Amino acid sequence: MNCLRVFVFVFTLTVIAVIGQDQDRAGDVASTEEQVATNGALEGIHVYSVFPGFSDKFPLGQYHTQLVGIKNNADVPVNVTAITGSLLSPFDLNYFVQNFTAMELGLVVEPGHSISVLYRYAPYTTLEPTFYALATWLHYHTAKTEHVSTIFNQTIELYEPTTEFDPKQTFIYVAGLAVTALAGFFGYQYFNAQNKKNSRKNAKSSDKAQKKEKKTSKTQ
């Protein structure tokens, strides 16, 4: 009986020890995943962006183009996997107004090299024309770690585009209408004159035929 109690006691301690080790390993895995998910910019990776033709005001209902440059001054190659972006409330950065479609890349940038890519997205046309926080991120990884660098994070203004008056285009449009109208007018005059001329010829031919017929009748 004593031997049985000792065996049960030892077995219980062994199970507890194994479970404790598994929990420790699970905790290590969780902390590692958390560390990977929260890695910021890798030292030596520099990003910049410009918006060709725009500064901090963007029209609604149109695609916005962001030129993104990536320079690798680190000592390891990086695999640039994607660019993501969002519109957020400028009053509460935890409130996402719109998440833009991610652009998948899969581009390897070797140490000392740089690349540039275009990221295009369009805000909802139903958004109110007002101020928003625009944020875009670059996602990449090395052979060991994953990283996210902030490309752009500033307040922008979305506005309703207005139709601009273009004097040159207006002149071309009006001139085209005028030429078309003149061509139609002169064409009408020409065909009308031809019809009248043909009518006169037909009338003269008819008169000659009638006179000839009368002369023939008198001769008989």
Side-chain angles (χ1 to χ4, degrees):
M1 180 65 77
N2 291 333
C3 292
L4 179 60
R5 290 178 179 177
V6 171
F7 174 76
V8 172
F9 177 74
V10 172
F11 177 77
T12 304
L13 290 178
T14 303
V15 171
I16 293 174
V18 170
I19 293 175
Q21 290 177 358
D22 290 341
Q23 289 177 343
D24 291 340
R25 290 174 183 174
D28 292 340
V29 171
S31 61
T32 302
E33 290 177 350
E34 184 179 357
Q35 182 180 2
V36 170
T38 56
N39 278 338
L42 178 66
E43 184 177 358
I45 300 298
H46 303 285
V47 295
Y48 64 89
S49 69
V50 293
F51 296 90
F54 298 96
S55 56
D56 57 353
K57 294 183 179 182
F58 302 89
L60 283 167
Q62 298 181 14
Y63 273 96
H64 303 167
T65 301
Q66 185 177 13
L67 177 62
V68 180
I70 305 111
K71 173 68 175 178
N72 184 2
N73 286 335
D75 56 357
V76 293
V78 296
N79 189 328
V80 180
T81 55
I83 295 177
T84 58
S86 298
L87 279 181
L88 307 95
S89 168
F91 309 106
D92 183 4
L93 296 180
N94 293 318
Y95 181 77
F96 286 77
V97 177
Q98 179 183 356
N99 289 322
F100 301 126
T101 302
M103 183 174 71
E104 304 294 335
L105 293 172
L107 301 174
V108 177
V109 185
E110 298 291 340
H113 289 72
S114 60
I115 62 171
S116 59
V117 294
L118 288 175
Y119 181 42
R120 300 180 73 240
Y121 52 88
Y124 294 136
T125 56
T126 55
L127 291 176
E128 290 292 329
T130 184
F131 293 93
Y132 298 90
L134 172 63
T136 54
W137 299 276
L138 182 73
H139 302 258
Y140 55 97
H141 64 81
T142 66
K144 298 180 179 179
T145 56
E146 297 183 1
H147 299 270
V148 178
S149 292
T150 299
I151 303 172
F152 186 88
N153 186 15
Q154 295 183 26
T155 300
I156 64 166
E157 181 182 358
L158 296 181
Y159 65 91
E160 287 282 0
T162 56
T163 304
E164 296 182 357
F165 176 75
D166 190 340
K168 184 177 180 180
Q169 292 295 330
T170 303
F171 173 78
I172 293 174
Y173 178 73
V174 173
L177 289 178
V179 170
T180 303
L182 287 173
F185 174 75
F186 286 116
Y188 171 77
Q189 293 292 333
Y190 173 77
F191 287 112
N192 191 34
Q194 289 294 322
N195 290 332
K196 288 181 178 180
K197 188 176 180 180
N198 292 333
S199 297
R200 290 173 183 173
K201 286 183 178 180
N202 293 332
K204 289 181 180 180
S205 297
S206 178
D207 290 342
K208 288 181 179 180
Q210 289 178 359
K211 289 179 180 179
K212 186 176 181 180
E213 184 177 352
K214 289 181 180 179
K215 187 176 180 181
T216 302
S217 298
K218 289 179 179 181
T219 303
Q220 292 177 352

